[in-house]
Amino acid sequence: MTIPPTISAAEERQEVPGLSALTYDWLTAIGEDPEREGLQKTPHRVAKAWSFLTAGYHKTLADAAGDAVFEAEGSEMVIVKDIEFYSMCEHHMLPFSGRAHIAYIPDGKILGLSKFARIVDLYSRRLQVQERITTQIADAVGELLAPRGVAVLMEGVHLCMAMRGVQKQNSSTTTSAMRGIFKEDARTRAEFMSAVQNTLRSR
């Protein structure tokens, strides 16, 4: 099997090694002709896309946070809402996506707001399940800031349910992780839930 040399050396360096050849064979296995005009570059496109979609395997929490942890005196709830996420289901390797909402109550440290999105990307850009991403984000914020509490709420739409299997296009999945005061105090937890309620898909 020979894949036509249709991309530059610079583009090839952005690919997941070996994935072009596997994609070529995959196309053949499903009955396609990988040599036809519309598919000639597809193996390389797929390998490049998966390099992006799985970038989280090659980064650490320190990479995501950078030098954006700061000393601060505040102790009021901080909420970052509507962080878009895109991930790939580890069971069927189909996409799921949605929004993440993160809250924490500082105890001497705060994090630059853009870093919350980077943390979400860190764990989303892997083969995943939504439940795991939710707990990983909560644990990451706890590790970075040692706050009084952390709350994470994620809502996602899973194509493994919408386009195959039960084929329920309007279903969504909500997961949450509560740490510290958010877990221990119902009023604090309710304040967070109230703040994000009107952003949920079911509104």
Side-chain angles (χ1 to χ4, degrees):
M1 181 271 292
T2 302
I3 300 177
T6 54
I7 63 168
S8 68
E11 288 177 316
E12 188 170 7
R13 285 194 293 270
Q14 298 174 3
E15 296 184 359
V16 175
L19 193 55
S20 290
L22 289 172
T23 304
Y24 189 101
D25 292 341
W26 192 337
L27 290 168
T28 302
I30 65 173
E32 263 292 359
D33 175 14
E35 299 290 350
R36 71 175 174 85
E37 183 181 7
L39 292 177
Q40 286 180 2
K41 293 186 179 182
T42 295
H44 296 294
R45 293 188 185 107
V46 170
K48 186 176 179 180
W50 275 85
S51 179
F52 178 82
L53 295 172
T54 59
Y57 286 121
H58 309 294
K59 296 181 180 180
T60 67
L61 181 57
D63 295 328
D67 57 356
V69 176
F70 307 105
E71 299 293 328
E73 297 179 358
S75 60
E76 300 298 323
M77 188 183 302
V78 178
I79 305 176
V80 185
K81 299 192 292 185
D82 295 326
I83 303 170
E84 295 180 2
F85 74 89
Y86 301 89
S87 192
M88 302 295 290
C89 165
E90 68 180 31
H91 299 142
H92 303 97
M93 294 174 67
L94 290 172
F96 66 98
S97 63
R99 294 180 178 185
H101 313 286
I102 306 171
Y104 73 103
I105 297 180
D107 189 14
K109 295 180 182 179
I110 60 172
L111 181 65
L113 296 179
S114 68
K115 304 304 181 182
F116 290 97
R118 294 189 182 278
I119 291 172
V120 171
D121 287 345
L122 172 67
Y123 296 112
S124 297
R125 291 178 183 169
R126 306 175 182 188
L127 294 182
Q128 275 285 20
V129 294
Q130 186 176 321
E131 296 90 335
R132 185 187 302 129
I133 300 175
T134 308
T135 60
Q136 286 175 328
I137 293 170
D139 291 342
V141 175
E143 179 181 336
L144 285 171
L145 302 179
R148 295 177 59 206
V150 181
V152 179
L153 183 72
M154 299 186 74
E155 184 182 42
V157 175
H158 296 245
L159 290 192
C160 59
M161 287 185 64
M163 66 184 296
R164 60 160 298 282
V166 295
Q167 299 181 61
K168 301 302 181 186
Q169 287 79 21
N170 293 317
S171 65
S172 64
T173 300
T174 301
T175 52
S176 64
M178 305 290 168
R179 303 286 186 268
I181 193 171
F182 286 96
K183 185 175 183 178
E184 298 160 2
D185 185 75
R187 289 177 299 177
T188 304
R189 185 165 60 252
E191 180 181 348
F192 166 66
M193 295 300 293
S194 177
V196 303
Q197 189 65 41
N198 64 350
T199 71
L200 298 180
R201 189 168 178 261
S202 58
R203 64 185 183 278

